[in-house]
Amino acid sequence: MDALRDRDPAQIGPYTLLARLGAGGMGQVYLGRSPGGRLVAIKVIRDEITDHPEALARFRREVETARAVRSAFTANLIDASLEAAPYWLVTEYVSGPTLAKAVAARGALPAETCRALFAALAEGLAAVHAHGVTHRDLKPQNVILAAQGPQLIDFGIARAAGQAVLTEAGFSAGTPGFTAPEVLLHNQVGPAADVFALGATIAYAATGRPPFGAGAPAGVSYRAVHEAVDLDGVEAELAQLVEAAVTKDPTERPGLAELIARCGVRSALVEDPFYAGLAALVEAVPQTPASPSRNVPPLPSGPPAAPHELPTASSAPVHGYTPTQVVRPAPVARRRTAPWLIAAAVGLVVGVGTATTLVLLPEDEGGGKERNASTASPGATSSAPTAPARQEPQVQPPAFVEQTNPSRDYWVSDTTSTYGEGACALPAEERNEQFQFSVSAAGSDEPFTSGKGRIGLRLKYAAPKAGESYYVSVAVKPPHEIDPDMGRPYEGGLQQNLSLGYTSKPIDLYAHYRDDPGNDWVDLTYPDDFQQFVRGKKYSDAIPVENDPGDWTVLFLHVQDPKQYASIACHGFVSQ
């Protein structure tokens, strides 16, 4: 539980906000108080995904699921607002630490406590399945160890039988390390997938370690499909039970009733001394209401945890083309960017063959004003009447890039490589054979692992026509979702990053080439030249790469306007 921050609102609907409970799958979760004094949990969908039909449909489905599933193992729905942004839902507030926080504070749970927790969660899942719903995102962060027994929370991607799957082709919902192989490979979702997630969750509780290791989401998912679960040091009988639950073939996994029987529970979990001792981890509820000055709706911290991609088999070129990465010496001092230079469309002239070209001059050469250049065609006379030229709307250069959809571009490093090679999960959306780039530590050709990085880009042998523009922005994406207030991944678990990351100001490489053809490289420095924009405004500065160790992704984007762009190349580096 964290204190409210300046960007948080003081109230949502009739509910007064008291504190932050954490970041959910699609939004921020707050502790609130009803007008009558009841404590509630309020989930507010993030601003930047309110316009995405898929995300909004998912949120509406979460509300319907919460209405349908009522049991002793879930927090009941109290209220919801689905008519207009901000969208939110309210459930009972369940006091207690999550399993993830309990393990972080106390370490691995004893085997007997794990068995009792296994049985209790299996019973809870059975109650959920009885309503025809699969949870689809069971993990330690979604289990609250309440005084009355464990509670299942966050049904953001739960699905009832017969409902459409709200994931894009090639991607499966869930969290790496807890998502079943059949979901990852075939998006085959059913009760058996929840059994796998339950087994992986108990493996985490029994070892204090991620069940399939840590690292890039694609690598973790690959191990979940092909490798054994980590059960080193776990009591043999409990290890066998977990292994049965996480069997790769869903048809060979035991049902929930069988798992409960095999746990052999003879007393209530709340009577377990270790479990009872976790009550000390419950945080006190703030008594002071939020400051009335906090009236700004919460800005997004990043896209929701959602589908992810398995690693590619190799780093071979896709579609027969891979943009060139060039290693080159440190650049000499020079102008970093060229002035904006845009030629508008040729105006139309009625009755004669004259043409008017509109040129937007750089500020230091023409104050941003337009100038006209008229050229008479053969046979035209000066006395001939002319109609005024129709001027097309002035084209504005894109000043920033803003995310419009979840970004599932990931670069995964090759751990056996000497020179930092890797592979991107998705192919480039556009092809440009002239484009080249380089990624290295600032001031050298050493790999970028910490400190500041140098990202170079150019169009080799470019031959732009007069007035042509080709804007490119670089997006640098951390491996995990970042809390913008802390500049680090969210506490209580590493969530896969579906944001575009931090982007540079789009650069007109054609104008740069024309301006300085003998020195066509443009160099950017990370993090100095990178920011994140949301709804047309700067949201946050880029974080140091040391704040989020792992595989970072570098995307090169051909930009038409702030919300219209396409990837032309993908690379990455490993932060240490």
Side-chain angles (χ1 to χ4, degrees), residues 2 5 7 20 300-302 476-491 494 497 502 526-527 532 539-549 552 575:
D2 297 319
R5 299 168 185 171
R7 69 182 62 190
R20 283 182 163 214
S301 60
V476 181
K477 174 177 176 176
H480 304 107
E481 185 178 351
I482 301 298
D483 181 339
D485 294 295
M486 304 300 294
R488 296 179 181 276
Y490 282 99
E491 296 180 3
L494 299 178
N497 188 4
Y502 306 101
Y526 185 89
Q532 189 175 42
Y539 181 50
S540 65
D541 290 316
I543 65 169
V545 296
E546 297 92 329
N547 287 15
D548 190 15
W552 284 59
S575 169

Side-chain angles (χ1 to χ4, degrees), residues 348-363:
L348 299 180
V349 180
V350 179
V352 295
T354 59
T356 301
T357 303
L358 304 180
V359 179
L360 179 61
L361 295 175
E363 287 294 326

Side-chain angles (χ1 to χ4, degrees), residues 135-498:
H135 189 287
R136 301 185 82 203
D137 199 21
L138 176 61
K139 57 186 177 182
Q141 294 89 340
N142 286 343
V143 175
I144 294 182
L145 304 180
Q148 68 270 31
Q151 300 273 303
L152 297 171
I153 63 171
D154 200 347
F155 286 78
I157 57 174
R159 183 160 68 93
Q163 283 185 317
V165 180
L166 296 180
T167 55
E168 296 183 10
F171 301 95
S172 304
T175 299
F178 300 90
T179 304
E182 68 271 17
V183 180
L184 293 167
L185 295 174
H186 311 297
N187 207 17
Q188 178 185 333
V189 179
D194 279 350
V195 171
F196 181 96
L198 174 59
T201 297
I202 298 301
Y204 173 85
T207 65
R209 301 184 298 270
F212 293 96
V220 174
S221 295
Y222 182 86
R223 291 191 289 273
V225 172
H226 298 287
E227 299 179 8
V229 64
D230 176 10
L231 291 170
D232 289 348
V234 177
E235 179 199 75
E237 187 177 350
L238 177 60
Q240 291 174 359
L241 192 58
V242 171
E243 286 173 344
V246 298
T247 299
K248 307 300 184 186
D249 185 349
T251 63
E252 296 181 2
R253 291 176 205 143
L256 293 171
E258 180 182 342
L259 287 173
I260 294 171
R262 290 176 61 177
C263 285
V265 173
R266 292 178 176 81
S267 61
L269 176 61
V270 296
E271 298 173 355
D272 180 277
F274 189 91
Y275 185 91
L278 297 177
L281 299 176
V282 176
E283 300 177 71
V285 174
Q287 299 299 313
T288 304
S291 169
S293 63
R294 291 192 178 98
N295 55 9
V296 180
L299 287 172
S301 60
H308 46 279
E309 176 75 355
L310 285 172
T312 54
S314 70
S315 56
V318 290
H319 297 319
Y321 165 68
T322 299
T324 306
Q325 181 185 10
V326 180
V327 177
R328 58 195 180 83
V332 296
R334 62 179 176 82
R335 180 170 54 249
R336 294 186 51 125
T337 56
W340 299 115
L341 180 61
I342 297 180
V346 175
L348 299 180
V349 180
V350 179
V352 295
T354 59
T356 301
T357 303
L358 304 180
V359 179
L360 179 61
L361 295 175
E363 287 294 326
D364 57 349
E365 295 180 17
K369 297 180 181 180
E370 298 171 355
R371 69 181 181 190
N372 296 336
S374 299
T375 305
S377 62
T381 63
S382 58
S383 60
T386 61
R390 179 172 65 88
Q391 296 183 354
E392 297 291 338
Q394 180 175 306
V395 178
Q396 295 295 327
F400 60 90
V401 172
E402 182 175 339
Q403 178 167 342
T404 57
N405 288 292
S407 172
R408 297 184 175 94
D409 290 275
Y410 299 106
W411 180 82
V412 181
S413 61
D414 180 355
T415 56
T416 64
S417 168
T418 304
Y419 302 102
E421 289 91 348
C424 291
L426 297 179
E429 296 170 308
E430 285 185 9
R431 175 175 176 174
N432 190 323
E433 295 178 351
Q434 298 171 337
F435 184 72
Q436 294 183 338
F437 65 90
S438 67
V439 180
S440 64
S444 74
D445 289 327
E446 295 300 314
F448 180 25
T449 60
S450 61
K452 294 188 177 183
R454 180 184 66 179
I455 301 174
L457 55 155
R458 70 171 176 178
L459 291 176
K460 182 70 171 175
Y461 307 119
K465 298 178 181 178
E468 279 190 317
S469 298
Y470 191 89
Y471 290 97
V472 175
S473 174
V474 182
V476 181
K477 174 177 176 176
H480 304 107
E481 185 178 351
I482 301 298
D483 181 339
D485 294 295
M486 304 300 294
R488 296 179 181 276
Y490 282 99
E491 296 180 3
L494 299 178
Q495 301 184 38
Q496 182 184 16
N497 188 4
L498 288 172

